[in-house]
Amino acid sequence: MTAAPQIPLRLVESLRKVDRVAVLTGAGTSAESGIPTFRQAQTGLWSQFSPEELATPMAFAENPKRVWEWYAWRRELVTKARPNPGHLALAQLARRFPQFTLITQNVDGLHQQAGSQEVLELHGNILRTKCSREGRVVEKWTDTPAVPPPCPHCGAHLRPDVVWFHEALPQETLDRAMAAAASCQVFFSIGTSTVVSPAADLPFIAIRNGAVIVEINPEPTPLTESADYVLAGPSGMVLPELLTCLA
Ligand code: APR
């Protein structure tokens, strides 16, 4: 039985009974906003570049200009992008549960633009810039031909405020995400290939806590066989359908 093309009735009935929901989103959630994902063959960002060349402290140390310019290109894409119906549905869904925790691996800020509050950004935010030496966020700097621009306080290179491979995630954010995964009654994993830890560990923490696991992804992932519900469609379609079923 389904309540809508993609939504099993049993899932809707379970959701009507719970208070605590946690959601983990990945790049797939922003795909319908025109932002490339990372690992999709051909269209994914990592099909043209390798993560090691661009998204590591070593890559930045070796060629800060190339890394800064790649993020400037991605920032351009992000500033042109708008939240899609999936982002908007998640912001609405939050109002239906007393405890709703939105955890994202995305750095595009589209959840906040869609109206989601208290988004746990595990991998930072591409629209924020920080000093590569002091780590503090820098909101403005003088126009300069230097690429990357120097920190106005100490002169070191500025860098995007995102978490690179081999870097630690913001500890307080990660702790809150893990606590939500460990205490939720339903865990949604949406638009993520579930391959990059510690984010990819969160659904498995939820499984150990006995939560109902819902995966929304057109493709299978390492989580798929452990999920209670697999909604194999684009999040921009499935989430509005889910919201309608819960109305
Ligand atoms: N709706 C839902 N899922 C989708 C959609 C869509 N419209 N389009 C694609 N997907 C799925 C793909 O099937 C894939 O499983 O989204 C997933 C995107 O996976 P990745 O490109 O690996 O992105 P993500 O899982 O967010 O990557 C995790 O790795 O590169 C690092 O730091 C980066 O945060 C990123 C992390």
Side-chain angles (χ1 to χ4, degrees), residues 181-206:
S183 62
C184 66
Q185 294 162 291
V186 180
F187 188 97
F188 285 87
S189 182
I190 307 174
T192 178
S193 56
T194 325
V195 293
V196 176
S197 289
D201 305 332
L202 292 170
F204 297 93
I205 291 171

Side-chain angles (χ1 to χ4, degrees), residues 26-28 32 37-39 46 105 123 191-193 196 217-219 235:
E32 292 157 89
T37 61
F38 290 95
R39 289 173 183 80
W46 296 142
Q105 301 169 88
H123 294 166
T192 178
S193 56
V196 176
N217 192 323
E219 305 290 331
S235 48

Side-chain angles (χ1 to χ4, degrees), residues 37-90:
T37 61
F38 290 95
R39 289 173 183 80
Q40 276 172 286
Q42 307 320 319
T43 54
L45 289 170
W46 296 142
S47 65
Q48 305 154 55
F49 311 97
S50 84
E52 286 65 27
E53 284 174 274
L54 291 162
T56 63
M58 287 70 79
F60 186 69
E62 196 188 296
N63 191 335
K65 181 171 182 295
R66 178 169 61 178
V67 173
W68 175 270
E69 287 176 339
W70 186 61
Y71 278 93
W73 170 69
R74 284 183 58 198
R75 215 174 8 254
E76 192 59 34
L77 284 179
V78 163
T79 39
K80 285 190 194 124
R82 292 288 166 268
N84 65 59
H87 293 109
L88 298 168
L90 278 172

Side-chain angles (χ1 to χ4, degrees), residues 38-246:
F38 290 95
R39 289 173 183 80
Q40 276 172 286
Q42 307 320 319
T43 54
L45 289 170
W46 296 142
S47 65
Q48 305 154 55
F49 311 97
S50 84
E52 286 65 27
E53 284 174 274
L54 291 162
T56 63
M58 287 70 79
F60 186 69
E62 196 188 296
N63 191 335
K65 181 171 182 295
R66 178 169 61 178
V67 173
W68 175 270
E69 287 176 339
W70 186 61
Y71 278 93
W73 170 69
R74 284 183 58 198
R75 215 174 8 254
E76 192 59 34
L77 284 179
V78 163
T79 39
K80 285 190 194 124
R82 292 288 166 268
N84 65 59
H87 293 109
L88 298 168
L90 278 172
Q92 295 300 318
L93 267 175
R95 301 188 182 149
R96 305 206 43 108
F97 302 98
Q99 272 190 40
F100 185 91
T101 309
L102 179 54
I103 306 154
T104 190
Q105 301 169 88
N106 299 339
V107 296
D108 55 34
L110 289 180
H111 286 305
Q112 293 92 321
Q113 267 194 54
S116 292
Q117 313 288 322
E118 284 199 58
V119 180
L120 298 182
E121 293 182 313
L122 292 179
H123 294 166
N125 188 311
I126 200 169
L127 300 174
R128 267 197 317 269
T129 298
K130 70 179 182 182
C131 172
S132 61
R133 181 185 297 151
E134 304 159 320
R136 64 162 131 185
V137 172
V138 173
E139 311 238 321
K140 54 181 185 297
W141 52 88
T142 43
D143 254 354
T144 160
V147 179
C151 168
H153 309 285
C154 75
H157 289 315
L158 291 180
R159 57 163 281 183
D161 187 12
V162 298
V163 178
W164 283 332
F165 291 95
H166 317 303
E167 286 188 322
L169 276 62
Q171 193 57 50
E172 198 250 335
T173 306
L174 181 57
D175 291 345
R176 287 174 61 193
M178 289 193 155
S183 62
C184 66
Q185 294 162 291
V186 180
F187 188 97
F188 285 87
S189 182
I190 307 174
T192 178
S193 56
T194 325
V195 293
V196 176
S197 289
D201 305 332
L202 292 170
F204 297 93
I205 291 171
I207 289 173
R208 283 199 292 280
N209 121 49
V212 170
I213 305 298
V214 186
E215 181 172 59
I216 301 177
N217 192 323
E219 305 290 331
T221 76
L223 177 65
T224 305
E225 61 186 25
S226 315
D228 298 287
Y229 298 96
V230 178
L231 310 181
S235 48
M237 298 262 298
V238 172
L239 285 166
E241 275 175 19
L242 180 64
L243 188 66
T244 308
C245 294
L246 283 169

